[in-house]
Amino acid sequence: MTRLVKSRRTHQKSRLGCSNCKRRRIKCDEKKPICTNCANHEIECTFSARGSSEVSSAASGSISTSERHPREKKYRFRTSQYTTEVSKRTTQSPTLKSTETQHKDVFTEASTDFISIPDLQLFHHFLVSTIPTTVDDEDGRVVWQNHVAQWALEFPSILHLILALSALHMGHEKPALRDQYLQQADDHFTFGIQSVTAVLSELNADTCQKVYISAVMICFAYFGRGPRPGEYLVFSDNGPAEWLVLMHGVKLILESHRNKVFSGILEPKPNSDVPNISPSLQNELQNHIAQVQGLQRLVDLQHLWDAGDRVMYVSAIDNLTSTVEEIYQKRSLRKSAVGLMHILMGWLYRLPRDFVAQLERKDPSALVILAHWAGLLKYMESVWFMKGWADHVLNGVCAFLPADLWVWIEWPMERVQEE
């Protein structure tokens, strides 16, 4: 019997098909701007940037930029897998890539000539709506809108962190879509961390300002994501805190390149504000200072046996007293509460490592002092990315402070609970 052998239909293989067809292992007809398979499934279609650049180079007989300068990385912005309600009517997002693949996309040699609509919307929202919530003066807005936004087009971490912070802000403004925006923010935040980490080892005078801005935005995004269970900024349930590691990154950059960081467009402008306390706040300030300075009695009771510890705690209390005075001076100007941010974070920034170590050990005196600092966060409750942090840090202190010492934190607890 003669066997009928069915001939196998062959087709020409191509390395230039779109990423969706490659992932599904099907033939791509390579129609542009969208192939037939993607059109039929109504999904976003992206072609191999590497393949396209090879075709272009072959046609022109030239060498690609990445081949001429192998060390020079060009930023390729990946297609977002997230869509807003508006963009869902015109596009369907592709399947979520693995973290490893996403990380490679951040530093691919080739560049593309598009940015997804959802991410473009986030970038626009950042320029128009988010920036005014992060600075309290016109000079600051100019720096962020003109210069930092331009840096974002050159420095991957800044762009991803801009989109992360913008997504968090959008989630705050649109609670019904919060989960969607949080997922989008988490994705960009991860990319931002990865890309800035990649350049930290090569930190120099040319990159330090951009890395510094990236580190500051990481801290902003951390606050904007909201309090995390078991994490209380300076300590956690299990020792060191995540946020303090981020703050250490800022510290590292400033310690090695402070003069260069605060130069040019980031050079601080002279402060024309007159330090003065409005009459309506004077009594409140005096009561507040009395409460903070009264903590020295607790230090005397707890640490009479160690003179070195006493000096460290008293120094932290004195520094906190100065911070309280500066907060009230700023409040007297009746400006946006976001202007208090650098004052409050400055106290944490200046904490000596030994004091932080005591917080990580849940030392009662250190926890009480931190609680009085946390009480000041109440004055930033009107800032969207600081909501809930005062309560959260105080609850963390209460969780580890012996009950017989709770009387020492009644003042900040009452301030935070006031309407």
Side-chain angles (χ1 to χ4, degrees):
M1 178 183 293
T2 303
R3 295 183 61 187
L4 296 177
V5 180
K6 187 176 181 180
S7 62
R8 182 180 179 185
R9 186 178 180 182
T10 62
H11 64 266
Q12 185 178 4
K13 293 183 178 179
S14 171
R15 298 179 182 274
L16 307 182
C18 80
S19 57
N20 292 325
C21 291
K22 285 184 177 181
R23 183 168 55 250
R24 296 170 61 200
R25 297 182 179 179
I26 60 177
K27 177 174 172 54
C28 179
D29 62 10
E30 300 176 19
K31 278 189 177 180
K32 296 183 179 180
I34 180 169
C35 74
T36 301
N37 292 326
C38 290
N40 291 338
H41 288 85
E42 296 183 349
I43 60 177
E44 231 170 342
C45 182
T46 57
F47 288 89
S48 169
R50 179 182 178 186
S52 299
S53 64
E54 289 173 350
V55 171
S56 176
S57 296
S60 63
S62 63
I63 302 174
S64 69
T65 302
S66 60
E67 290 171 333
R68 289 197 303 268
H69 305 288
R71 288 178 58 84
E72 181 180 330
K73 303 279 187 182
K74 279 200 172 184
Y75 178 67
R76 172 180 181 250
F77 193 76
R78 66 181 184 83
T79 304
S80 172
Q81 69 270 26
Y82 305 103
T83 56
T84 61
E85 292 301 313
V86 173
S87 63
K88 279 181 180 178
R89 292 196 291 267
T90 58
T91 182
Q92 177 69 35
S93 57
T95 305
L96 181 64
K97 301 177 184 178
S98 68
T99 301
E100 181 181 359
T101 304
Q102 291 170 341
H103 181 57
K104 289 178 181 177
D105 279 352
V106 174
F107 290 106
T108 185
E109 296 281 344
S111 61
T112 59
D113 56 358
F114 69 91
I115 181 171
S116 68
I117 294 300
D119 290 331
L120 187 59
Q121 289 172 332
L122 289 181
F123 193 74
H124 177 263
H125 180 82
F126 178 81
L127 293 177
V128 174
S129 302
T130 306
I131 287 176
T133 71
T134 60
V135 293
D136 68 338
D137 60 81
E138 187 60 31
D139 289 337
R141 292 189 186 96
V142 169
V143 168
W144 283 89
Q145 289 176 331
N146 293 355
H147 302 288
V148 175
Q150 179 62 40
W151 285 352
L153 305 180
E154 308 163 2
F155 208 67
S157 63
I158 292 179
L159 181 54
H160 279 300
L161 293 167
I162 279 177
L163 299 180
L165 190 59
S166 179
L168 291 169
H169 190 212
M170 291 279 278
H172 170 76
E173 292 191 334
K174 300 179 179 180
L177 299 175
R178 177 174 168 78
D179 289 343
Q180 171 189 313
Y181 284 119
L182 284 183
Q183 189 177 13
Q184 199 168 357
D186 287 346
D187 186 45
H188 284 298
F189 185 77
T190 299
F191 280 6
I193 290 281
Q194 289 173 340
S195 53
V196 77
T197 300
V199 298
L200 272 177
S201 60
E202 300 177 2
L203 184 65
N204 55 49
D206 294 328
T207 62
C208 63
Q209 285 188 320
K210 295 172 184 175
V211 174
Y212 170 74
I213 287 295
S214 298
V216 169
M217 292 192 68
I218 287 171
C219 291
F220 273 124
Y222 186 90
F223 280 112
R225 188 60 173 78
R228 292 163 170 76
E231 290 282 337
Y232 308 106
L233 294 183
V234 198
F235 72 99
S236 70
D237 286 349
N238 302 309
E242 290 178 356
W243 185 83
L244 204 62
V245 175
L246 303 178
M247 173 66 83
H248 180 71
V250 176
K251 216 169 187 176
L252 179 66
I253 297 165
L254 293 183
E255 286 175 352
S256 57
H257 294 87
R258 174 177 288 274
N259 291 337
K260 180 61 180 177
V261 168
F262 295 121
S263 65
I265 62 173
L266 296 186
E267 183 176 358
K269 301 294 189 295
N271 189 356
S272 59
D273 296 334
V274 179
N276 190 29
I277 307 298
S278 64
S280 61
L281 293 177
Q282 287 179 355
N283 289 337
E284 183 183 338
L285 171 61
Q286 294 307 314
N287 289 336
H288 206 144
I289 289 177
Q291 290 292 329
V292 173
Q293 291 182 335
L295 299 179
Q296 294 190 23
R297 289 183 284 115
L298 174 63
V299 172
D300 291 337
L301 291 172
Q302 298 288 317
H303 298 281
L304 281 174
W305 52 272
D306 192 320
D309 277 357
R310 186 182 186 282
V311 170
M312 178 181 66
Y313 285 104
V314 170
S315 176
I317 292 169
D318 290 342
N319 200 332
L320 184 56
T321 301
S322 299
T323 299
V324 169
E325 292 175 339
E326 197 172 352
I327 289 291
Y328 276 80
Q329 289 171 1
K330 197 76 172 178
R331 289 180 64 203
S332 296
L333 298 173
R334 298 186 179 279
K335 291 187 177 181
S336 170
V338 75
L340 304 177
M341 187 73 173
H342 73 281
I343 302 173
L344 287 167
M345 296 306 115
W347 184 78
L348 294 183
Y349 181 91
R350 293 187 295 272
L351 285 179
R353 186 68 192 90
D354 289 345
F355 188 90
V356 173
Q358 291 294 77
L359 284 170
E360 292 170 354
R361 298 186 192 105
K362 318 300 189 296
D363 174 79
S365 295
L367 289 174
V368 168
I369 295 172
L370 180 66
H372 281 260
W373 171 83
L376 295 170
L377 293 176
K378 171 69 176 180
Y379 301 129
M380 290 196 69
E381 275 291 307
S382 60
V383 180
W384 67 272
F385 56 81
M386 294 303 296
K387 289 187 181 297
W389 279 100
D391 279 320
H392 181 69
V393 177
L394 282 172
N395 287 337
V397 170
C398 287
F400 294 99
L401 188 67
D404 60 324
L405 296 179
W406 284 1
V407 65
W408 288 94
I409 61 172
E410 285 181 356
W411 169 268
M413 292 289 288
E414 290 173 357
R415 299 287 79 73
V416 168
Q417 291 168 7
E418 287 178 352
E419 293 295 334

